[in-house]
Amino acid sequence: MVAQELELKKRLLQECTKMLNAQIKAAKDAMDDAQESANEHQGAMEDKFESFREACQIQRDMYARQLDELISTMAVLKRINATKENKEIAFGAVVHTNVQNYFIGVSLGKVEVEGETFFAISGLSPVFKAMAGKTTGESFEFRGQEYKIEHII
């Protein structure tokens, strides 16, 4: 049973990595497009082209910041050990509750694996703080709702 459970954790980690890689590629592409637009208008000296180029540079810088954040998020995700079974809720744990399932690592939202829905959440999220350190069978409350922890991987 433990091997199957760890396989689920591994699949969740792979799916999150795939989602994050897609976001990184989208940010890189958008940054490159903005830079390309700015470069295309580099030769023009008219004011309207200068302000367009500045707008493109601002946009490129915004995508660069987004890309940096995504790369940092990927570094956090890579710290998760998919072969470690968690007995309590901590970074890297897969948590099944009576309400919904969670994967504690980075905030990516809804992740579907093997027909099950999980919410990839960060260790800084309020819901994680409500459940941190708890074990199977325990309960926690979040936003007025009672959650019972059914299983932790």
Side-chain angles (χ1 to χ4, degrees):
M1 186 66 175
V2 172
Q4 269 183 309
E5 292 174 347
L6 291 176
E7 187 58 35
L8 173 65
K9 184 187 269 195
K10 196 163 115 185
R11 294 258 304 113
L12 271 165
L13 191 54
Q14 288 170 343
E15 191 60 32
C16 287
T17 301
K18 191 169 104 181
M19 290 170 69
L20 208 46
N21 278 331
Q23 290 177 10
I24 286 171
K25 183 185 179 328
K28 270 185 190 167
D29 291 348
M31 190 176 84
D32 291 345
D33 288 348
Q35 183 64 53
E36 212 172 285
S37 291
N39 290 347
E40 284 172 9
H41 293 86
Q42 206 159 13
M45 293 309 259
E46 294 175 42
D47 286 345
K48 66 179 179 181
F49 289 120
E50 195 58 37
S51 63
F52 174 76
R53 207 176 90 204
E54 283 175 25
C56 289
Q57 293 289 6
I58 289 167
Q59 198 174 27
R60 192 217 46 176
D61 292 347
M62 177 193 67
Y63 289 124
R65 281 191 299 278
Q66 188 180 31
L67 182 61
D68 283 347
E69 286 174 26
L70 290 168
I71 289 169
S72 295
T73 301
M74 183 63 87
V76 170
L77 193 62
K78 285 183 176 184
R79 290 195 345 242
I80 294 175
N81 181 352
T83 61
K84 178 182 182 255
E85 186 182 4
N86 292 69
K87 297 291 183 194
E88 66 178 38
I89 298 174
F91 180 74
V94 177
V95 183
H96 290 88
T97 74
N98 62 324
V99 180
Q100 54 195 33
N101 304 322
Y102 298 95
F103 180 48
I104 317 300
V106 297
S107 180
L108 285 173
K110 199 171 173 177
V111 181
E112 301 268 339
V113 171
E114 297 170 11
E116 276 189 282
T117 300
F118 294 85
F119 288 89
I121 61 171
S122 148
L124 302 173
S125 68
V127 69
F128 171 74
K129 289 179 178 165
M131 68 171 101
K134 304 253 188 245
T135 58
T136 301
E138 289 189 279
S139 296
F140 65 94
E141 191 177 306
F142 181 67
R143 292 190 178 152
Q145 176 146 19
E146 183 84 12
Y147 290 73
K148 182 160 177 51
I149 301 162
E150 296 173 342
H151 189 65
I152 302 168
I153 304 170

